[in-house]
Structure formats: C-alpha cells, structure tokens
Amino acid sequence: MRYLPKSPADREEMLQEIGVDSIDALFETIPAEYQLTRDLKIPRQQSESEIIERFREFAENNATGYASFLGAGVYRHYKPVIIDSLVLRGEFLTSYTPYQPEISQGTLQAMFEFQTMICELTGMEIANASMYDGSTGAAEAMMMAVRVTGRDRAVIARTVHPEYREVIATYAQHQEIPIAEIGYAANGRVDMAALNTAITSETACVMIQSPNFFGTIEDVAAIAEMAHAKGALLIVSIAEAISLGVVRRRGGGYCGDGGAVVWCGDELRRPVLRRDCVQGEVPAADARPHRWRDQGHGRQARVCADAVDA
C-alpha cells in the first residue's frame, strides 16, 4: 500500500468536507481516560542507514568475531534502497548501447553524469563510460601509455590484484609488451628501491594499486615523481572508489602531475557476491599542454560529451 502524505491545507479541506473542526473531534466518542495525550515512549525515528546498522548488530548475536574477505579489494558499502527504484525509471531505462541518441537520452545522460563523477573523484580532465571490467580497464590503460609515450615496456607492482595482473599479462603477451613485476616490503607497500631500479628509459608506464591488494595506501606522490623523472606515465588502479573521497587526488598530490590513471572499481550499489563483478574506467590527464587530448584519442570504450549550440 502506498503512503500518500497530506499537507495541512489538504487536511483542512478534508475536515471541512466532512463537517468537523479538527482531527480531535473525530475521537470524541472515545472516553477521555482512554485517550493518550502524550507521545509514545518509543525510540526516536531512525534513518535508513541507522536501521540497517541496527539489524546488523542483531545479526552479530548469531556469529561474532568473523570478517569477510570475499571481495578481495571490493568492500561492502551502504547503498540507499531508493537506488533500485531510480535506475528502473523510464528516464534511464533505455537501450544499452546508444546508437540512436534521439531514443537513448536516459542512457546518454547517465553516462555523462557517471563520467563527470569519475573526473571529480580522480581529478582527471577526461573519462570514458566504462570498460568491460576493472582488469581490462587496467590493461587498456597500459596499452594507451605505450601508444602515448612510444615506449614498449611496463612496470607493475605485485601489490596490484593478482587477477588484474593475469589479465594484463594476457594482453601484454600478444601486444609484445615486456612486463617487470616489483615485489613489496614488510609494510605491505611496493618496494620503492626496486621500483626505482626497474624504471628505465624504455618504460612506458608504472602501474600500482592504492589501496592495494593488502588494503594499504601506497605513497602515490613519491611513485609519481619517480616515474615522471624517467619519462614514464603513472597508472593508479583504484579498486576502492570510495577511498577517493578520503585520500588526496591528483590536484592535491594523490596521483602526481603528468600521468594517466585507470579507475577499477565496483559499481557501489552492487552487493559483494562475486569478485569478478567490477567495472573498469580510464580517466586520464597530463600536466603537459595538449597531451591529455592525445591520451583521450588513444583510449577505448564510449565517451559522452555535452554539446553547445553555436
């Protein structure tokens, strides 16, 4: 049953229609000693997120002391239940691939807003409308760096998700891109000394993940400086998009200046059921004039833009 709230004016009109002065007049037949004139002694109203958290606390009475590592880098998030209703509205529920823009305004608008959000989160100048998944997004970013720089080698930290590295290795094998994988130190971060040694004049890009596979924040600014000093681009795989609201982004030293960034993240509203259910995104930027346009032309997937009539 739908709940249709009434405004004070609506209530007043209804009371006039039935010929009574107030809502209290409707209950005059009930003896006064049985009427409740105070508020009920119940807890205050709670928001949706508070209610969900309360039921989670109830669930912990069944089993405590356990942690779920099902996501392997994709974490559980609170998502308002209204999202499911909004995404099913006709304004957005249009054809998947917008070959005919005139009948796909919902899809185009959703893609444009999505790209805008990704650019705001990452601090990049341009973003596409997603790749097949996070791992292929990372592989495409590597190949884009090869095309942009004219170099043919890649350096990847072993703190990048192993499944991502497997997909990247498949792409690199057929693209004939040699890959050097760098180990990690006891603190869970990539080995900086080994990384600096591995970057050469033939290195097109350095790829790291932050937060990495162990959940540790990498020193992205220091790695960016190290890569750019030798002419390589920096690729940062972001498996946890929510982290971009906390850590510093590109403009504040998060991704450094002059590098490409690949965003590999879950869709935020999808529950953690399968680790491979992620989405790839390749925002890019470069501090050097006009280079980000070259990166934009060398990228894959769809790009939706806002046009202005002359």
Side-chain angles (χ1 to χ4, degrees):
M1 179 183 297
R2 298 180 63 186
Y3 171 67
L4 300 176
K6 304 294 186 295
S7 67
D10 293 333
R11 295 191 183 95
E12 187 66 28
E13 183 178 353
M14 294 170 68
L15 290 172
Q16 290 178 1
E17 183 68 24
I18 62 177
V20 296
D21 297 330
S22 66
I23 293 178
D24 293 335
L26 300 175
F27 303 98
E28 289 178 348
T29 57
I30 301 175
E33 61 268 25
Y34 298 118
Q35 294 188 26
L36 186 66
T37 57
R38 58 171 174 80
D39 293 335
L40 291 173
K41 294 181 178 179
I42 58 176
R44 66 167 179 82
Q45 71 276 18
Q46 293 183 313
S47 66
E48 180 185 313
S49 60
E50 289 176 320
I51 293 174
I52 293 175
E53 183 62 30
R54 186 173 183 182
F55 276 93
R56 284 177 178 168
E57 292 176 356
F58 291 154
E60 289 178 356
N61 295 329
N62 300 324
T64 59
Y66 294 93
S68 173
F69 294 95
L70 182 64
V74 174
Y75 305 95
R76 298 183 184 276
H77 304 103
Y78 160 70
K79 67 177 184 69
V81 294
I82 195 175
I83 290 179
D84 293 330
S85 298
L86 289 176
V87 297
L88 292 176
R89 289 183 62 86
E91 295 93 325
F92 299 103
L93 195 61
T94 56
S95 57
Y96 172 72
T97 304
Y99 290 123
Q100 295 178 276
E102 64 276 9
I103 62 172
S104 300
Q105 293 301 317
T107 299
L108 293 172
Q109 183 68 37
M111 286 181 176
F112 179 78
E113 300 297 343
F114 176 75
Q115 291 171 195
T116 302
M117 180 188 68
I118 296 304
C119 286
E120 291 176 348
L121 283 172
T122 61
M124 300 291 102
E125 282 88 353
I126 187 173
N128 65 0
S130 86
M131 304 297 299
Y132 181 74
D133 62 8
S135 59
T136 54
E140 292 288 356
M142 175 191 67
M143 293 188 293
M144 183 176 71
V146 170
R147 293 191 294 269
V148 170
T149 63
R151 301 180 179 186
D152 60 357
R153 294 179 180 272
V155 175
I156 302 178
R158 290 189 61 201
T159 51
V160 174
H161 197 292
E163 294 175 2
Y164 283 25
R165 288 188 279 118
E166 289 179 5
V167 173
I168 292 170
T170 301
Y171 275 71
Q173 174 185 355
H174 299 287
Q175 294 289 328
E176 297 182 349
I177 302 174
I179 295 178
E181 291 195 354
I182 309 303
Y184 46 87
N187 61 2
R189 290 182 169 184
V190 63
D191 188 328
M192 298 292 281
L195 181 65
N196 190 38
T197 302
I199 304 173
T200 68
S201 59
E202 298 179 339
T203 302
C205 63
V206 175
M207 182 181 296
I208 62 174
Q209 179 177 326
S210 184
N212 62 28
F213 185 68
F214 304 121
T216 303
I217 304 294
E218 298 280 8
D219 190 347
V220 181
I223 297 173
E225 183 178 355
M226 185 183 300
H228 300 155
K230 298 184 180 181
L233 296 180
L234 173 66
I235 297 174
V236 183
S237 173
I238 307 296
E240 178 49 62
I242 297 294
S243 69
L244 295 174
V246 180
V247 298
R248 292 186 300 172
R249 61 183 188 178
R250 179 178 180 272
Y254 177 75
C255 297
D257 292 327
V261 170
V262 57
W263 176 75
C264 311
D266 64 4
E267 290 186 89
L268 303 184
R269 59 177 293 271
R270 176 185 286 127
V272 182
L273 299 177
R274 295 174 54 192
R275 179 57 190 88
D276 58 339
C277 289
V278 297
Q279 178 173 314
E281 184 71 18
V282 188
D286 198 303
R288 289 160 286 183
H290 309 299
R291 285 296 297 278
W292 71 270
R293 294 183 178 86
D294 297 335
Q295 294 177 11
H297 291 160
R299 72 201 308 102
Q300 302 293 324
R302 299 172 291 270
V303 175
C304 295
D306 186 13
V308 179
D309 293 335

